[in-house]
Amino acid sequence: MFTVVERELEMRLVLSPEHAVAVPARLGYRTDDPYAVHITFHINSQFPVHWTFARELLVEGVFRPCGQGDVRVWPTKTEGRGVVLMALSSPDGDALLEAPAAQVSAWLERTLRAVPPGTEGEQLGIDDGLAQLLAQ
């Protein structure tokens, strides 16, 4: 049995310094995939976009710039409110998304209560599986 921690929120796709578009999104976390976070954009559209990356990257990115390559995350302030920026790159294009820091942080706290940092491996049952394999 596993636990799912989800949160729907409105992110903003930053098109230029002056222009951004609202994008409905869903943050997802599953205890049977304890190292990853999942973000789905355009959740009510015919072709939603899914991204998966390390939970640790998002946790760190709430506090300081981190990541390289396909996913980079950093905190900043926009119009006097705390936000988390996510720069996502793929062969299909690049996107800069802005999420409310308070909502992302509250959701991350729920994931950290479900699976505390350092205990992710215990969720996978690798030790039990290996013991069963070696017992045969």
Side-chain angles (χ1 to χ4, degrees), residues 10 25 31 34-35 51 54-55 57-58 65 67 71 77-78 86 88 90 92 94 97-98 117 121 132 135:
E10 184 174 282
T31 57
Y35 291 103
W51 275 82
R55 176 177 72 163
L57 179 64
L58 188 55
V71 180
K77 290 208 179 280
T78 300
M86 296 176 211
L88 307 176
S90 78
D92 295 325
D94 301 324
L97 292 132
E98 174 185 295
Q132 287 176 359

Side-chain angles (χ1 to χ4, degrees), residues 30-104:
R30 296 171 50 119
T31 57
D32 64 336
D33 188 10
Y35 291 103
V37 294
H38 307 272
I39 303 178
T40 303
F41 301 102
H42 306 288
I43 54 177
N44 296 319
S45 73
Q46 185 177 357
F47 302 105
V49 176
H50 304 282
W51 275 82
T52 301
F53 54 90
R55 176 177 72 163
E56 185 177 330
L57 179 64
L58 188 55
V59 169
E60 185 176 341
V62 168
F63 298 102
R64 68 185 74 62
C66 66
Q68 57 186 356
D70 295 347
V71 180
R72 292 176 293 124
V73 183
W74 66 96
T76 192
K77 290 208 179 280
T78 300
E79 300 171 1
R81 62 186 180 88
V83 297
V84 176
L85 292 175
M86 296 176 211
L88 307 176
S89 298
S90 78
D92 295 325
D94 301 324
L96 178 61
L97 292 132
E98 174 185 295
Q103 291 179 22
V104 172

Side-chain angles (χ1 to χ4, degrees), residues 104-120:
V104 172
S105 295
W107 174 78
L108 278 171
E109 283 181 30
R110 290 175 49 212
T111 75
L112 295 169
R113 281 195 303 271
V115 179
T119 67
E120 294 91 348

